[in-house]
Amino acid sequence: MSAYRGRFAPSPSGLLHLGSLLAAVASWLEARARHGKWLLRIEDIDPPREVPGAAAKIIAELAAYGLEPDEPVLWQSTRRAAHDAALAALLDSGLAFPCACSRADLEPGGVYPGTCRRGLPPGRAARSIRFKVSGQIAFDDRCHGRIEQDLDRDCGDFVIRRADGWPAYQLAVVVDDAAQGITDIVRGADLLSSTARQIALQQALRLPSPTYLHLPLVRGADGRKLSKRLGSDPLAGSDRRSALRAVLTLLGQPPPPAIATLDGLWAYALKHWNPGAIPRGIQPAAADAILLAEDD
C-alpha cells in the first residue's frame, strides 16, 4: 500500500478565508494522522483572475498557522510541458478534439451538445479542446458515500484546454496530482461534481485515482459559500486560535478546551482527529455564529 500523500491546492485568486482554512486544516490533520506527507500546490494557471501578491500571502498565512508543506511548494504554472503532453496524448488517442464553441453556444444548463465532436463546423476556427465523455462514473467519497454521475447527461464533453491556451483546471489537477504521487484528496464539496470528470481523465491517461473526502462548505450569513472571488473576509490579522477552534467545530471535531497556544491546539486537534465525524453540510451563518461566540 502506498504511503499517504495529501495536498492543499489553492488558487491565488484572493486571500485565504475561513472556508479555505477549513480545507487546509482538514487535509493537514488527515495527512498527519495517517503518518503521511502534506504538500502545497499553488494553482496559478488562470492569470486574469489572479490577485497580485495573493500567492505569497497565502503561503505566509499558512505558515503563520503552522501549516508548512513537507516538500517545496509546487507552482502549477511551471508544469505546462506536462499538461501539454497529456493533452497531446488525449488528442492522439481520439479522446479529445478541437472545439469552436463558446459558452453562448451551450444548451441551457451548460451541457455541451457535441457540436464539434466529429469536426469543426464550416468556417469556424478552434477555440478550445474538449475531452470526449462516455457513460457513467462512480466512486466512493469518504464523507458523502457512493456518488454516481452520468457525464453525457450532466456535463457533456468538457474543456481541457481553454481558449486562452492555458490548460483547464480539470486536466491540470489530474496531471499534477499524479506527478506528486497524491494518494488522498481532502477538499471542499464545491468540487464534488468535478470528481467524476477527473476520474474519467485519470482512466483515459492511465493514471491512478486517489481516494476522495469532500468537506462541507462554509457559508456566510447570506447563505453563499465563502469564496475568494466574492471577496470573502480574509484571515490575515485575525486571532488564529479562534479561527482554528471555529474550523475544528465546523468539522464536527470535539470542542477544544481553552488552550493558550496554537501549538497546543494543533496537538489537541491531531490527538482527537476523527474524519468520520465530519458533517455533510454546514447551515448558512453557522460559521459567523461560531466566530462571534469566539470573540465574546
Side-chain angles (χ1 to χ4, degrees):
M1 184 176 180
S2 300
Y4 185 102
R5 289 175 66 85
R7 49 73 162 176
F8 177 55
S11 64
S13 55
L15 304 183
L16 288 181
H17 54 68
L18 192 67
S20 47
L21 178 65
L22 181 140
V25 167
S27 61
W28 186 90
L29 285 170
E30 183 66 1
R32 290 292 177 265
R34 300 273 293 276
H35 307 289
K37 301 287 188 181
W38 184 76
L39 310 183
L40 177 60
R41 182 170 71 232
I42 301 296
E43 298 195 329
D44 57 335
I45 57 169
D46 198 352
R49 292 179 175 174
E50 291 172 16
V51 175
K57 291 178 180 177
I58 288 171
I59 294 170
E61 188 64 17
L62 289 171
Y65 273 89
L67 295 168
E68 298 201 37
D70 295 311
E71 296 178 5
V73 175
L74 178 67
W75 297 79
Q76 198 165 53
S77 59
T78 67
R79 299 272 304 149
R80 290 290 294 273
H83 303 151
D84 289 345
L87 188 71
L90 293 171
L91 286 168
D92 289 345
S93 63
L95 294 175
F97 59 93
C99 179
C101 301
S102 66
R103 290 188 182 184
D105 297 313
L106 301 186
E107 297 178 346
V111 176
Y112 180 71
T115 307
C116 302
R117 232 186 198 235
R118 294 176 178 82
L120 296 173
R124 298 191 66 180
R127 290 171 47 87
S128 62
I129 294 176
R130 290 181 180 269
F131 176 73
K132 291 182 180 179
V133 302
S134 178
Q136 288 190 335
I137 294 289
F139 65 97
D140 293 308
D141 184 81
R142 291 179 58 203
C143 182
H144 297 266
R146 189 71 170 174
I147 303 292
E148 296 183 0
Q149 187 176 14
D150 186 318
L151 293 178
D152 295 289
R153 180 194 65 206
D154 295 338
C155 69
D157 303 328
F158 57 90
V159 172
I160 53 176
R161 191 186 73 185
R162 305 194 308 259
D164 61 6
W166 283 88
Y169 164 75
Q170 307 292 3
L171 178 68
V173 71
V174 163
V175 172
D176 294 342
D177 280 338
Q180 291 188 284
I182 301 301
T183 62
D184 293 73
I185 293 176
V186 178
R187 63 187 182 186
D190 54 325
L191 292 169
L192 187 59
S193 62
S194 290
T195 305
R197 281 173 278 178
Q198 292 167 18
I199 291 174
L201 282 172
Q202 290 158 4
Q203 293 173 351
L205 292 166
R206 298 182 180 179
L207 299 175
S209 292
T211 298
Y212 292 93
L213 192 166
H214 286 86
L215 304 164
L217 300 181
V218 180
R219 302 183 185 277
D222 60 0
R224 294 193 298 175
K225 177 182 79 75
L226 297 186
S227 168
K228 294 192 288 290
R229 293 180 188 174
L230 294 176
S232 301
D233 290 339
L235 292 171
S238 63
D239 181 82
R240 295 186 178 91
R241 289 171 300 168
S242 294
L244 182 53
R245 287 193 186 97
V247 161
L248 293 171
T249 302
L250 291 169
L251 287 169
Q253 303 305 298
I259 296 174
T261 67
L262 196 59
D263 286 345
L265 268 177
W266 280 122
Y268 176 90
L270 184 56
K271 180 179 179 180
H272 295 87
W273 175 242
N274 177 17
I278 297 173
R280 291 192 177 188
I282 293 176
Q283 294 300 316
D288 292 345
I290 290 171
L291 284 175
L292 285 173
E294 291 286 353
D295 290 338
D296 290 344

